[in-house]
């Protein structure tokens, strides 16, 4: 019995080693895989056979490896079967994407919803409808859903959303509220999750940083700043997310800019969000707020399936108007961005002193506003850090903008599939049937 | 040849496994070691024999393991041979300690030196004299020095001290300036470092956090705050020091409390050091500064060899005077601590939001001032963090005070000896001679 368990766990580990190596160095031959991994050719061939049957790997061509022997067939990850759902609840929108194992974005939709006006249950009802549609479309394209991660705008610890001050939510077990989903998503194709619809919950800023790592152009060492109505940050060091002691690190939005500044929804005063959060920015620029939020249910411009990464899930109308005014040189819009950039520079100075990040990547609403915000932020940082540090970290713009969290959420599921594909094959291998 | 290298590296690894296990579970028998590590009894006996010959392990008694067989001899780490030097350059003192492999402090001395009035070369000349004395005394006690780490009050990257604003030092290759030491420390006993006197340089705040981890009573998750003339911090998560991307994390002293506050030596304004650093505190309490610094060469009260951890390397006279006035209820002293505590609370609020530490341990000068500083700091943190976080991290007082960095510096060398004892035995095994 012990032997059997050992054999199973060794097989599981080896499957992960082979699939990870195919992702890292594909297209690659079975012979090369055996050489790199140290596994025997027989083991590699058996593993590859199982991974092909599970739709995770595909043969892509042939390659003559030097002068030796006959040419080998090359293997790469396959995007035809396994996919993951990335989900996001933010203050003024919901967003869903489907990403396949090759990290190709197969579907993306966002919906403007003022979640501040909703109870958690109402918001999750809206979200479940979006998920339902996404799952249906994914299945119609022949995909099976390996799992999902839900990004929420606040610190999460063990599935519990402690507090999302911008939503007015506190101590919400978001995962439990998703349980109704299992019944809704209909008959599951063989190979899909066996029990409850699997939803893990994680902080939006952490997932945005992982999205930037896997889908963006960021190097392995960076601080990703998510500017939304709230502001969060995720630190990646050596390709690994820094989560702190309980996963609550990176709350840049509540770093103190001025101790006696305006009151913040978190209960503090003078937090960065009160100067550089989306609402503070729009208010300072004289853009009317309530009108800027479309009615629940209205699709955002630019949303819909099939858009490639970088296109953005859509820019809220008030933000688009702010960008227009900035382009025209509107004085109060420029002043608002300068004030926000200065405050961002103050908070980032404290963050650089504490976290020692590599590059700083500005995402979310800071991506479209980068040309106007980055200058003042950079000047503030240079003035305060330049004498002590040899080099002040560079500010870069995120290519993903507001999509980073949803992509990171899906990517997290796929990372786990690649690390342990057996878990998604055990009950998941389709009956190949007659061919 | 490849085989030989493999054999050597396996031996090195197994020596580390055996010694680490003796440290973790000693007193322990050879039979128990074989069972825990999975190595054969023959291998364990051979390794233990080598470790005893190298003076790293000693037999402590006998233990009957249940009813089976004859009683086994128990083994534990030995403090009789291998030791490390912990060194510190701070703004107003130098400090040296000798710690043996069992983490017993064998020697400690501190000297008041106003290093702001010295060039780096002058400071290191003072330090080399202290080291010389410490090495002589350690050798006289039969100890061999496995290496040393030097704590400096500023960010270090690859042996280069970028900037120690409170010393006025910038881009100093401190390690290189210690090269003269090799000639000074005299004839080396067999088993000591073979080449140059080994000095690694590391940030004081990082080493103080490690000191708290290994010598203090802190749990595995904490932020250690070193209050000196400068203020640094070191974050430990799951027993591991978080260093950031280039080892420059934890500069709590330059977290911004008030953006337009007083100018700081770092080039910024309104940094925490300007409110809660030792000088700012003494100035606010009306204590004359220049008189508070003893002349170079004068020993600090409480310094000298043989003091156990927790005794403190001595409290500077002006600080002792501040504590006296606080105990007497002096109004300006109390106001100064309240102001410093509030500022510390503001900076820690930002740090908690970014780093998500476990407990917060206040060390350095904050240890003797804890009764007066911790209350205002705690109130400020609770008011700003309480609504968003389920629990605000607790404030605890360091048992080590100003000794934490020097102890951590020595502990770091000993950690490496235990992980790879072979490196310290290859040229280090003493000729046992006739017995």
């Amino acid at each position: 019995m012990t032997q059997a368990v050992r054999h199973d766990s060794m097989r599981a580990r080896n499957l992960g080693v082979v699939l990870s190596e195919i992702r890292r160095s594909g297209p690659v031959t079975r012979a090369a895989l055996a050489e790199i991994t140290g596994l025997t050719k027989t083991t590699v061939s058996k593993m590859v056979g199982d991974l092909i049957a599970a739709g995770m790997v595909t043969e892509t061509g042939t390659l003559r490896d030097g002068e030796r022997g006959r040419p080998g067939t090359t293997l790469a990850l396959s995007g035809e079967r396994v996919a993951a759902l990335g989900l996001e609840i933010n203050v003024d929108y919901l967003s869903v994407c489907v990403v396949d194992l090759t990290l190709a974005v197969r579907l993306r939709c966002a919906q403007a919803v003022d979640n501040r006006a909703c109870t958690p249950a109402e918001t999750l009802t809206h979200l479940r409808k979006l998920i339902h549609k996404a799952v249906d479309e994914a299945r119609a394209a022949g995909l099976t859903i390996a799992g999902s991660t839900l990004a929420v705008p606040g610190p999460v610890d063990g599935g519990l959303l402690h507090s999302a001050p911008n939503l007015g939510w506190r101590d919400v077990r978001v995962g439990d509220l998703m349980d109704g989903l299992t019944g809704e998503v209909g008959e599951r194709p063989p190979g899909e999750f066996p029990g409850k619809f699997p939803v893990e919950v994680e902080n939006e800023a952490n997932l945005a940083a992982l999205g930037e790592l896997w889908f963006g152009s960021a190097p392995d060492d960076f601080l990703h700043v998510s500017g939304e109505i709230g502001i969060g940050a995720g630190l990646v060091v050596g390709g690994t997310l820094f989560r702190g002691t309980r996963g609550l690190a990176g709350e840049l939005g509540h770093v103190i800019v001025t101790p006696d500044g305006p009151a913040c929804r978190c209960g503090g005063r003078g937090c960065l969000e009160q100067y550089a959060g989306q609402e503070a920015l729009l208010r300072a620029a004289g853009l009317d707020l309530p009108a800027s939020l479309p009615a629940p249910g209205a699709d955002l411009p630019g949303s819909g399936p099939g858009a490639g990464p970088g296109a953005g899930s859509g820019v809220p109308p008030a933000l688009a108007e702010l960008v227009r005014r900035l382009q025209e040189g509107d004085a109060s819009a420029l002043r608002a961005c300068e004030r926000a950039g200065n405050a961002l520079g103050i908070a980032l100075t404290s963050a650089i002193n504490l976290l020692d990040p590599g590059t700083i990547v500005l995402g979310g609403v800071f991506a479209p506003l980068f040309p106007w915000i980055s200058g003042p932020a950079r000047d503030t940082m240079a003035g305060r850090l330049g004498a002590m540090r040899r080099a002040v970290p560079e500010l870069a713009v995120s290519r993903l903008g507001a999509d980073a969290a949803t992509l990171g959420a899906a990517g997290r599921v796929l990372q786990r599939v690649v690390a342990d594909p057996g878990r998604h094959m055990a009950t998941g291998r389709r009956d190949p049937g007659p061919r």
Side-chain angles (χ1 to χ4, degrees), chain A residues 21-30 32-33 36 57-63 72-77:
Chain A
E21 198 52 48
I22 292 171
R23 179 177 61 180
R24 202 174 68 88
S25 33
V28 61
T29 64
R30 288 172 179 79
L33 280 174
I36 299 166
V57 166
T58 185
E59 296 184 333
T60 56
T62 57
L63 183 77
T73 306
T74 53
L75 305 161
L77 289 190

Side-chain angles (χ1 to χ4, degrees), chain A residues 398-425:
Chain A
S398 166
R399 287 201 313 127
L400 307 176
D403 292 336
T406 323
L407 292 174
R412 190 157 167 268
V413 175
L414 298 169
Q415 279 290 110
R416 292 183 184 176
V417 171
V418 170
D420 187 6
R423 240 170 63 85
H424 299 268
M425 291 160 61

